[in-house]
Amino acid sequence: MFTERVRDLAHVGSVELFTPVPDQSLRFFVDLLGMDVTGRRGDSVYLHAWDDYERFTIKLTASTTSGIGRTYLRAAGPEALQRRVDEIEAAGLGRGWISDELGLGPVFLCGDPDGHEYGLYWETERYRPLERRAPALKNQAAPFPGRGANVRRLDHVNYLAADLAGCSAFLADQLRAQPTEQIMLDSGDVSAIWYHISDKSYDLVYTVDRAGARGRLHHIAVATDTRDDILRAADVMLENGIHIETGPHKHAIQQTFFLYVYEPGGNRVEVANAGARLILAPDWKPIVWTEEERKKGQAWGLKTIETFHTHGTPTMEHYTEPDMAARQKVKSGK
Amino acid sequence: MFTERVRDLAHVGSVELFTPVPDQSLRFFVDLLGMDVTGRRGDSVYLHAWDDYERFTIKLTASTTSGIGRTYLRAAGPEALQRRVDEIEAAGLGRGWISDELGLGPVFLCGDPDGHEYGLYWETERYRPLERRAPALKNQAAPFPGRGANVRRLDHVNYLAADLAGCSAFLADQLRAQPTEQIMLDSGDVSAIWYHISDKSYDLVYTVDRAGARGRLHHIAVATDTRDDILRAADVMLENGIHIETGPHKHAIQQTFFLYVYEPGGNRVEVANAGARLILAPDWKPIVWTEEERKKGQAWGLKTIETFHTHGTPTMEHYTEPDMAARQKVKSGK
Amino acid sequence: MFTERVRDLAHVGSVELFTPVPDQSLRFFVDLLGMDVTGRRGDSVYLHAWDDYERFTIKLTASTTSGIGRTYLRAAGPEALQRRVDEIEAAGLGRGWISDELGLGPVFLCGDPDGHEYGLYWETERYRPLERRAPALKNQAAPFPGRGANVRRLDHVNYLAADLAGCSAFLADQLRAQPTEQIMLDSGDVSAIWYHISDKSYDLVYTVDRAGARGRLHHIAVATDTRDDILRAADVMLENGIHIETGPHKHAIQQTFFLYVYEPGGNRVEVANAGARLILAPDWKPIVWTEEERKKGQAWGLKTIETFHTHGTPTMEHYTEPDMAARQKVKSGK
Amino acid sequence: MFTERVRDLAHVGSVELFTPVPDQSLRFFVDLLGMDVTGRRGDSVYLHAWDDYERFTIKLTASTTSGIGRTYLRAAGPEALQRRVDEIEAAGLGRGWISDELGLGPVFLCGDPDGHEYGLYWETERYRPLERRAPALKNQAAPFPGRGANVRRLDHVNYLAADLAGCSAFLADQLRAQPTEQIMLDSGDVSAIWYHISDKSYDLVYTVDRAGARGRLHHIAVATDTRDDILRAADVMLENGIHIETGPHKHAIQQTFFLYVYEPGGNRVEVANAGARLILAPDWKPIVWTEEERKKGQAWGLKTIETFHTHGTPTMEHYTEPDMAARQKVKSGK
């Protein structure tokens, strides 16, 4: 039976990334991806992609290890935000509010059962170009950088999860995201699932963590305008000694043209292009890929390389179980 | 004050185009744009772009002249459709239902004050590839054509209107579309306005008809994956004797990379690429372009050519005032 | 010591390819690569790429097996041709003249020690478009096809050879080609060598045949205008069930952006793009790649797949030793 | 009657450009075109494009006005150089030798009747990357910059000339260049002519100077790998306030995809891409374009803008007749 999409969340706003080598990671994002610094606070540097209307796109935080911090999701309005808060609270999954993030108003915290944390918000500070650097065209946020991969915006986040079914239920039931594609093993278990909240074909992805760990990151993805941009990005990465894990090539799933690299901090970053692909159908039936179909490799036949199944951040050598209890403390501190 | 977007309409479904030279127009859409025939009925041929999940993308109808027929808009669900119907009926702008369109269930008719007709629907027949021609990747509707401009889907419709303010109000108030950009003359009048209903930066556009006529078409636009596709499309058009009006170039407004041609029937068709541009902000403030700013021409300085301001279809030689009364008759015939 | 380039050979003219499934191979070259038929004679169909100024680019010949026939090389003039003939005859490597090839005047035959045959010629018939299909721009041979991979011209031929040193000497000493890159094994043996006769970075390539066979083909390559064309070619191949062996990716050697497929007859075909790369230096020092360097894989890290080292045509199941003596018979028949 | 090409000149080596605003021009070439500084001497800065195997590509010289200095042409070898010298001397057009140019050995000077000076040379210093910046691939000169337009190499020079017939004769008779395309006016006069010395479709171009001045520059052109690179270059120029004169668009003549800008010093610079186009035919018959044909505008219909016919450097306000006598003095100073 058809249920109308609840579109209370408009889009992924930004994401926090941890790095043990903050200077090197910063150079990667600024010089090679073409992002700009729009803020600094404590151990964090805030980075902005040129087409992002908000203050920041990636929050890069110095840490003892790599991995992902909070993912910020912008609500479709103040009432939409309240509806999400109410439902999440009703499910007992809320963690309270914070109001001290750069460029954001009150942020409601919650998390999936694996320990990945989300921050939902409505109020946001618009990116303001410094006066001497207003973009030539008034309908874009920042000047076109003309540097490295010139990434346009954050595209999606792909989380590793021990409890994929639980995380998937959280996205569907609490965030009201909709699945567009998934891989179903012969056992009937889903090993990866792609969700969208916008008209993009996916925004948030969960992949089973084969190491059985919780709360890790598979990759974040930044978007370019064309597939040609990604070929150029590969040349840029090659020239600058960045580890290219695989690609450029075209995924069979979602058809994204991809390049996977490890930023100096060890986090996998996908430079991604979806062409003009959108999922506009309100009643899109999720595409289900079988194990057999996945054996064909990527769209044009490239075999998926082993590290794609094993590398996550933090790496297992530096991994410690997320302290779920500690994460609940924010709630009481509201 | 912020009002949450009402997203009852999911996307533009398809559009009917009239042509006095149906065979030549058909060859243009099939051979040069790369579309496929998925139905024929009476004087109409139904054409499908490879990424469209519905039965047809363009309905090409033989007629005494060129111009645009009905624009079909898909609702976000059956209840969403009913909400639109109720509001439109309450405003006295409904024209009743039809149920005899190929591939569509019940269609609710309505129109803007200029005489352009819309058909709102929920039920739709999914495109089914003929068995011998299933696409290689199961997450796309039809096989990639590898022919001509290989257009992916319908992108938007740009209507000419005598009563732009009235049409604009209809989009905002009845269809609940949101404006993303507009041109405001020094007089304070809006001469063109871009609306979106999806996350694309625009779906429906109104431009003042300088001839003062009603119900005419400025252009329909079909989307490609890359800007490079549009350069190739220009080579294809050149080689096949199709009139290129202007482009390829990049619009300042909306930043669309464009190629404008006249299909053999005389209708202007834009082959368009927006890169990865989307308007994801729920509280996007419409960009307002002044006369002074428009004098700069397109993004890279190309001057807008005169015919872009004068050519519409049907051309004024073949133009007759839309019979608004006749259009109301459907209502009683429900 | 520097020796001036002898530029008696202007460019590779065309090449003959054998196929056991001529109808399927023909559809591949016409529908998927975008070539046109410009002649038929006996078991052969002559195919033309749109930017080739001569009558044909590939001669496709029905045969019991796959593989390569004669490679035609155009001389820089009649006297240049005579200089090559004289030197080749002086070395005892000539095989006499033929004058019955479609579109070509007298052709001087010769061959490398492995049994690959070359035909050197000066007189050639220019491609003439049928009147109704003259190209829109008078400085190009044929209309832009707007079909499949839209390949522009033949780019190069890569031969497998048992006697690579002997073949290499033939190219350097008799054809006066110049090497631009090579792979040198730790043993000091060259395992592959790239020669150019034009300003392109390579035109003729020899690779050691690990099966020890003689006269086989590694691949022929056709050129596109952009790397993006090759991504599209990959989509076209995927959609049409053509085996993609590897790619698209960028070679470290020569930096060519490549897609390798097997045409239905089994011959490996590379769809290739070199960007704007040319070797303009008259004193270019051949780049030497070591085994160690080759272990890095292709430019962006793709590992070379095993079949790339083993598949040649004809395949070993259908292979018979070239009858070198028979090939000499043409001489007496002049 | 066919005459074999004399290929004594291998390619255009570099060109000197004058600018009254050297700092601004330098930033243009370095930041926006992606070139690197590889030398400084006196009022000159030497700039290098990443694929150039020689020490420098453009010599940028501070001056009271804009315009072009000497064009350096590399010979195919020492004997080839001597053959050119002998023929030029025999025609009384030599101006002697210099040996004090950065990175070049002895340079033989000569000039066309309009006062544009050429320097022919054989010995040249190879570009050597600083150790910390060796390119990732050993078959390319310098690291890929990943900055601005990332131009690969110098493509061609287009000179304005009062005496086009005389200049054309100098190229054909003394430099032994070959014409590939030309515009012939209804009067029978040639108004522009394209010559090549390499396999590129053109290297040196002469256009009638409608102002009747001598020795001026129409434009220099730098090459990119793809047409997409040029679209990105347009975005870079727009964002950085560089005057875009016309384009991007495709020339009918030579089919080059172009973007014309004025560098801050006033010189017109073309960012150009020819796709994979080469003129490989040794007996290519020059394409002749009529006035009637030129009225169609560029390939896809763009009208040639007026400044393209009038703007040259130095501009007429700063123009002084070249002192041809003074230029002869070098000879005696040998």
Side-chain angles (χ1 to χ4, degrees):
Chain A
M1 215 208 68
F2 175 76
T3 308
E4 205 169 297
R5 280 181 76 180
V6 173
R7 302 194 64 157
D8 286 342
L9 299 178
H11 62 89
V12 179
S14 52
V15 67
E16 181 177 27
L17 219 53
F18 298 123
T19 172
V21 290
D23 292 346
Q24 294 174 50
S25 292
L26 181 59
R27 281 196 295 274
F28 169 85
F29 285 101
V30 171
D31 294 345
L32 305 191
L33 293 191
M35 302 182 80
D36 277 319
V37 173
T38 52
R40 290 178 186 269
R41 187 182 284 183
D43 289 333
S44 299
V45 181
Y46 293 79
L47 295 159
H48 178 261
W50 64 271
D51 186 40
D52 193 339
Y53 70 97
E54 297 185 273
R55 173 80 179 262
F56 69 94
T57 310
I58 291 174
K59 176 182 180 180
L60 186 66
T61 299
S63 178
T64 53
T65 182
S66 53
I68 185 167
R70 192 177 293 147
T71 301
Y72 289 108
L73 305 177
R74 187 157 192 229
E79 294 170 11
L81 175 58
Q82 194 55 51
R83 286 193 296 269
R84 279 315 92 218
V85 169
D86 291 347
E87 279 200 16
I88 294 168
E89 293 282 21
L93 296 169
R95 296 181 184 169
W97 295 78
I98 61 161
S99 56
D100 59 352
E101 182 56 280
L102 181 78
L104 301 182
V107 175
F108 177 74
L109 303 184
C110 55
D112 66 33
D114 224 66
H116 303 94
E117 191 167 66
Y118 291 92
L120 281 51
Y121 67 98
W122 165 245
E123 290 175 33
T124 189
E125 183 186 331
R126 276 191 147 55
Y127 170 83
R128 280 186 204 81
L130 302 180
E131 200 169 322
R132 61 175 179 88
R133 287 294 286 155
L137 296 175
K138 63 196 288 188
N139 49 6
Q140 94 186 32
F144 179 72
R147 188 173 69 244
N150 291 302
V151 301
R152 180 168 201 138
R153 65 163 173 251
L154 185 62
D155 191 83
H156 63 268
V157 182
N158 186 319
Y159 309 91
L160 287 172
D163 176 11
L164 192 135
C167 292
S168 184
F170 177 74
L171 253 68
D173 299 339
Q174 270 70 53
L175 301 187
R176 297 295 190 113
Q178 286 212 328
T180 55
E181 306 206 14
Q182 57 180 294
I183 300 173
M184 187 172 288
L185 303 181
D186 295 345
S187 65
D189 289 337
V190 171
S191 66
I193 185 161
W194 285 255
Y195 277 93
H196 75 149
I197 55 179
S198 69
D199 285 348
K200 290 168 57 249
S201 62
Y202 58 116
D203 297 300
L204 300 167
V205 189
Y206 278 88
T207 302
V208 164
D209 193 327
R210 297 188 180 189
R214 291 182 173 276
R216 297 205 301 160
L217 172 70
H218 191 272
H219 68 268
I220 64 160
V222 285
T224 65
D225 270 345
T226 68
R227 305 203 287 197
D228 203 51
D229 287 328
I230 290 182
L231 303 183
R232 190 171 304 95
D235 283 330
V236 167
M237 298 304 163
L238 169 68
E239 202 61 274
N240 289 278
I242 296 298
H243 175 62
I244 297 176
E245 185 185 36
T246 186
H249 202 89
K250 176 180 175 170
H251 278 300
I253 297 175
Q254 300 286 6
Q255 303 199 14
T256 310
F257 192 68
F258 65 83
L259 172 73
Y260 289 98
V261 301
Y262 296 172
E263 58 88 19
N267 297 296
R268 185 188 281 111
V269 175
E270 179 184 11
V271 190
N273 182 263
R277 191 167 192 251
L278 297 172
I279 300 291
L280 298 170
D283 50 354
W284 178 260
K285 288 189 184 30
I287 304 293
V288 182
W289 299 87
T290 64
E291 281 190 46
E292 185 63 27
E293 289 168 335
R294 293 307 306 130
K295 285 180 187 159
K296 290 184 190 173
Q298 303 304 332
W300 299 319
L302 181 70
K303 297 307 168 196
T304 305
I305 68 166
E306 187 55 21
T307 55
F308 201 74
H309 297 307
T310 58
H311 180 77
T313 49
T315 55
M316 293 309 292
E317 302 92 86
H318 298 92
Y319 173 74
T320 51
E321 186 84 7
D323 183 347
M324 305 295 280
R327 298 209 172 180
Q328 306 299 338
K329 288 180 188 164
V330 176
K331 192 175 186 174
S332 52
K334 189 192 178 178
Chain B
M1 216 209 68
F2 175 76
T3 308
E4 205 169 297
R5 278 181 79 180
V6 173
R7 302 194 65 156
D8 286 342
L9 299 179
H11 62 89
V12 178
S14 53
V15 66
E16 181 177 27
L17 219 53
F18 299 123
T19 173
V21 289
D23 292 346
Q24 293 174 52
S25 292
L26 181 60
R27 279 195 297 273
F28 169 84
F29 284 101
V30 172
D31 294 345
L32 305 192
L33 293 192
M35 303 183 78
D36 277 319
V37 173
T38 52
R40 291 178 185 269
R41 189 182 281 184
D43 289 332
S44 299
V45 180
Y46 293 80
L47 294 159
H48 178 262
W50 63 270
D51 185 39
D52 192 339
Y53 70 95
E54 297 185 273
R55 173 79 180 263
F56 69 94
T57 311
I58 292 174
K59 177 182 180 180
L60 186 66
T61 300
S63 177
T64 53
T65 182
S66 53
I68 185 169
R70 191 178 295 147
T71 302
Y72 290 108
L73 305 177
R74 186 153 193 230
E79 293 169 12
L81 175 58
Q82 194 56 48
R83 288 194 295 269
R84 281 312 93 219
V85 170
D86 291 346
E87 280 200 17
I88 295 168
E89 293 281 23
L93 295 169
R95 294 179 186 172
W97 296 79
I98 59 160
S99 56
D100 60 351
E101 183 56 279
L102 182 77
L104 301 182
V107 176
F108 177 73
L109 302 184
C110 56
D112 67 33
D114 224 66
H116 304 95
E117 190 167 70
Y118 291 92
L120 280 51
Y121 66 99
W122 165 245
E123 291 175 32
T124 189
E125 181 185 333
R126 275 190 147 57
Y127 170 82
R128 279 186 205 83
L130 301 179
E131 198 170 323
R132 61 176 180 86
R133 287 294 284 154
L137 296 175
K138 63 197 287 189
N139 50 5
Q140 95 185 31
F144 181 72
R147 188 172 70 243
N150 292 303
V151 301
R152 179 167 202 137
R153 64 161 174 252
L154 185 62
D155 190 84
H156 63 267
V157 183
N158 186 318
Y159 309 91
L160 288 172
D163 176 11
L164 191 135
C167 291
S168 184
F170 175 74
L171 254 67
D173 299 339
Q174 270 70 52
L175 301 188
R176 297 295 191 111
Q178 287 212 327
T180 55
E181 305 205 16
Q182 58 180 293
I183 300 173
M184 187 172 287
L185 303 180
D186 295 346
S187 66
D189 289 338
V190 172
S191 67
I193 186 161
W194 284 255
Y195 277 93
H196 76 148
I197 55 177
S198 70
D199 286 348
K200 289 168 57 245
S201 62
Y202 58 115
D203 297 299
L204 300 167
V205 189
Y206 278 87
T207 302
V208 164
D209 193 328
R210 298 189 179 186
R214 290 180 174 278
R216 295 206 301 162
L217 171 70
H218 191 271
H219 69 267
I220 64 161
V222 284
T224 64
D225 271 344
T226 69
R227 304 203 288 197
D228 203 51
D229 287 329
I230 289 182
L231 303 183
R232 190 170 305 97
D235 283 330
V236 166
M237 298 304 164
L238 169 68
E239 202 61 273
N240 288 278
I242 296 298
H243 175 62
I244 297 176
E245 185 185 35
T246 186
H249 202 89
K250 176 179 173 170
H251 278 298
I253 298 175
Q254 301 285 5
Q255 302 199 15
T256 310
F257 192 68
F258 64 83
L259 173 73
Y260 289 98
V261 300
Y262 296 173
E263 57 88 21
N267 296 296
R268 185 188 282 109
V269 175
E270 179 184 11
V271 189
N273 183 263
R277 191 168 193 252
L278 297 172
I279 300 292
L280 296 171
D283 50 355
W284 179 261
K285 289 190 183 28
I287 305 293
V288 182
W289 300 86
T290 65
E291 281 190 45
E292 186 63 26
E293 289 168 334
R294 293 308 306 131
K295 285 179 187 158
K296 291 184 190 172
Q298 303 304 332
W300 299 319
L302 181 71
K303 297 306 168 199
T304 305
I305 69 166
E306 186 56 22
T307 55
F308 201 74
H309 296 306
T310 57
H311 180 77
T313 50
T315 56
M316 294 309 292
E317 304 92 82
H318 297 93
Y319 173 74
T320 51
E321 186 83 10
D323 183 346
M324 303 295 276
R327 297 208 173 182
Q328 306 299 337
K329 287 179 189 166
V330 176
K331 192 176 186 174
S332 52
K334 186 190 178 180
Chain C
M1 214 207 68
F2 176 74
T3 307
E4 204 169 297
R5 278 181 79 180
V6 173
R7 302 194 64 157
D8 286 342
L9 299 178
H11 62 88
V12 179
S14 53
V15 66
E16 182 178 24
L17 219 54
F18 298 123
T19 173
V21 290
D23 292 347
Q24 294 174 50
S25 292
L26 181 60
R27 280 196 295 272
F28 170 85
F29 285 101
V30 171
D31 294 344
L32 305 192
L33 293 192
M35 303 184 79
D36 276 320
V37 174
T38 53
R40 292 180 186 266
R41 188 183 281 184
D43 289 332
S44 299
V45 181
Y46 293 80
L47 295 159
H48 179 261
W50 63 272
D51 186 40
D52 192 340
Y53 70 97
E54 298 185 271
R55 173 79 179 263
F56 70 94
T57 310
I58 291 175
K59 177 183 179 179
L60 186 66
T61 299
S63 177
T64 52
T65 182
S66 54
I68 186 169
R70 192 177 293 148
T71 302
Y72 290 107
L73 304 177
R74 187 157 192 227
E79 293 169 12
L81 175 58
Q82 194 56 50
R83 287 194 294 272
R84 280 314 93 218
V85 170
D86 291 347
E87 280 200 16
I88 294 168
E89 293 281 23
L93 296 169
R95 295 181 186 170
W97 296 78
I98 59 160
S99 55
D100 60 352
E101 183 56 280
L102 181 78
L104 300 183
V107 177
F108 177 73
L109 303 184
C110 55
D112 66 32
D114 225 66
H116 304 95
E117 191 167 68
Y118 291 94
L120 281 52
Y121 66 98
W122 165 245
E123 290 175 33
T124 189
E125 183 185 331
R126 276 191 146 57
Y127 170 83
R128 277 186 206 82
L130 302 179
E131 200 169 322
R132 61 177 178 86
R133 285 294 285 154
L137 296 175
K138 62 197 289 189
N139 51 6
Q140 93 185 34
F144 179 71
R147 190 173 68 243
N150 291 302
V151 300
R152 181 168 200 137
R153 65 162 173 250
L154 186 62
D155 191 83
H156 64 267
V157 182
N158 186 318
Y159 308 92
L160 287 172
D163 177 11
L164 191 134
C167 292
S168 184
F170 176 74
L171 253 68
D173 300 339
Q174 270 71 53
L175 301 188
R176 297 294 191 113
Q178 287 211 329
T180 55
E181 306 204 15
Q182 57 181 294
I183 300 172
M184 187 172 289
L185 303 180
D186 295 346
S187 65
D189 289 337
V190 171
S191 67
I193 185 161
W194 284 255
Y195 277 93
H196 76 148
I197 54 178
S198 70
D199 286 349
K200 289 168 59 244
S201 63
Y202 58 115
D203 297 300
L204 300 167
V205 189
Y206 277 88
T207 302
V208 164
D209 193 328
R210 298 189 180 187
R214 293 182 171 276
R216 297 206 300 161
L217 172 70
H218 191 272
H219 68 269
I220 65 163
V222 285
T224 64
D225 270 346
T226 68
R227 304 203 288 196
D228 203 52
D229 287 327
I230 289 181
L231 303 183
R232 191 172 303 98
D235 283 331
V236 167
M237 298 305 162
L238 169 67
E239 201 60 274
N240 288 277
I242 296 297
H243 175 62
I244 296 177
E245 186 186 35
T246 186
H249 202 88
K250 177 181 174 169
H251 277 299
I253 299 176
Q254 300 287 3
Q255 302 198 14
T256 309
F257 192 68
F258 65 82
L259 172 73
Y260 289 98
V261 301
Y262 295 172
E263 58 88 20
N267 297 295
R268 185 189 281 110
V269 174
E270 180 184 10
V271 189
N273 183 262
R277 190 166 192 252
L278 297 173
I279 301 292
L280 297 170
D283 51 355
W284 179 260
K285 288 190 185 28
I287 305 294
V288 181
W289 300 85
T290 64
E291 280 189 46
E292 187 62 27
E293 289 168 333
R294 294 307 307 129
K295 285 179 187 158
K296 290 184 190 170
Q298 303 303 332
W300 299 319
L302 180 70
K303 296 307 170 198
T304 305
I305 68 165
E306 186 55 22
T307 55
F308 201 73
H309 296 306
T310 56
H311 180 77
T313 51
T315 55
M316 293 310 292
E317 303 93 83
H318 297 91
Y319 174 73
T320 51
E321 186 84 9
D323 184 345
M324 305 295 279
R327 297 208 173 181
Q328 305 300 337
K329 287 180 189 164
V330 176
K331 191 176 185 175
S332 51
K334 186 190 178 178
Chain D
M1 217 210 67
F2 175 75
T3 307
E4 205 168 296
R5 280 182 77 180
V6 173
R7 302 194 63 157
D8 286 342
L9 299 178
H11 62 88
V12 179
S14 52
V15 66
E16 182 178 25
L17 219 54
F18 298 123
T19 172
V21 290
D23 292 346
Q24 294 174 52
S25 291
L26 181 61
R27 281 196 294 273
F28 170 85
F29 284 101
V30 171
D31 294 344
L32 305 191
L33 293 192
M35 302 182 80
D36 277 319
V37 173
T38 52
R40 291 179 186 269
R41 189 182 282 185
D43 289 333
S44 299
V45 181
Y46 293 80
L47 295 159
H48 179 261
W50 63 272
D51 185 39
D52 193 338
Y53 70 96
E54 297 185 274
R55 173 80 180 262
F56 70 93
T57 311
I58 292 174
K59 177 183 179 180
L60 187 66
T61 300
S63 177
T64 54
T65 183
S66 54
I68 185 167
R70 191 177 296 147
T71 302
Y72 290 108
L73 305 177
R74 185 152 194 232
E79 293 169 12
L81 175 57
Q82 194 55 50
R83 287 193 295 270
R84 281 313 92 220
V85 170
D86 291 347
E87 280 200 15
I88 294 168
E89 292 283 21
L93 296 169
R95 294 179 185 170
W97 295 79
I98 60 160
S99 55
D100 60 351
E101 182 56 280
L102 181 77
L104 301 182
V107 176
F108 177 74
L109 302 183
C110 55
D112 68 31
D114 225 65
H116 304 94
E117 191 166 69
Y118 290 93
L120 282 50
Y121 66 100
W122 164 244
E123 290 175 32
T124 190
E125 182 185 332
R126 275 189 147 58
Y127 170 82
R128 277 187 206 82
L130 302 179
E131 200 170 323
R132 61 177 179 86
R133 285 295 284 154
L137 296 175
K138 62 195 289 189
N139 50 5
Q140 96 184 32
F144 180 71
R147 188 172 70 241
N150 292 303
V151 301
R152 179 167 202 137
R153 65 160 174 253
L154 185 62
D155 191 83
H156 63 266
V157 183
N158 186 319
Y159 308 92
L160 288 172
D163 176 11
L164 191 135
C167 291
S168 183
F170 175 74
L171 255 68
D173 300 339
Q174 270 70 51
L175 301 187
R176 297 297 191 111
Q178 287 211 327
T180 55
E181 305 205 16
Q182 58 180 293
I183 300 172
M184 188 172 287
L185 303 180
D186 295 346
S187 65
D189 289 337
V190 171
S191 67
I193 185 160
W194 285 255
Y195 277 92
H196 75 148
I197 56 177
S198 70
D199 285 349
K200 289 169 56 247
S201 64
Y202 58 114
D203 297 298
L204 300 167
V205 189
Y206 277 88
T207 303
V208 165
D209 193 328
R210 297 187 180 188
R214 290 180 174 278
R216 296 205 302 161
L217 172 70
H218 191 271
H219 68 269
I220 64 161
V222 285
T224 64
D225 271 346
T226 67
R227 305 204 287 198
D228 203 50
D229 287 327
I230 291 182
L231 303 182
R232 190 170 305 97
D235 283 331
V236 167
M237 298 303 164
L238 169 68
E239 202 60 274
N240 288 278
I242 297 297
H243 175 62
I244 297 176
E245 185 185 35
T246 186
H249 202 89
K250 176 179 174 170
H251 278 299
I253 297 176
Q254 301 286 5
Q255 303 198 14
T256 310
F257 193 68
F258 65 83
L259 173 73
Y260 289 98
V261 302
Y262 295 172
E263 57 87 22
N267 297 296
R268 184 188 282 110
V269 175
E270 179 184 12
V271 189
N273 182 263
R277 191 169 192 251
L278 297 173
I279 300 292
L280 297 171
D283 52 353
W284 179 261
K285 289 190 183 29
I287 304 293
V288 182
W289 299 86
T290 65
E291 281 191 45
E292 185 64 26
E293 288 168 335
R294 293 308 306 130
K295 285 180 187 158
K296 290 184 190 171
Q298 302 305 331
W300 299 319
L302 181 70
K303 296 307 169 199
T304 305
I305 69 166
E306 186 56 20
T307 55
F308 201 74
H309 296 306
T310 56
H311 179 76
T313 50
T315 56
M316 293 310 291
E317 304 91 83
H318 297 93
Y319 173 74
T320 52
E321 186 85 8
D323 184 347
M324 302 296 276
R327 298 209 173 181
Q328 306 300 337
K329 286 179 190 165
V330 177
K331 192 175 185 174
S332 52
K334 188 190 179 180

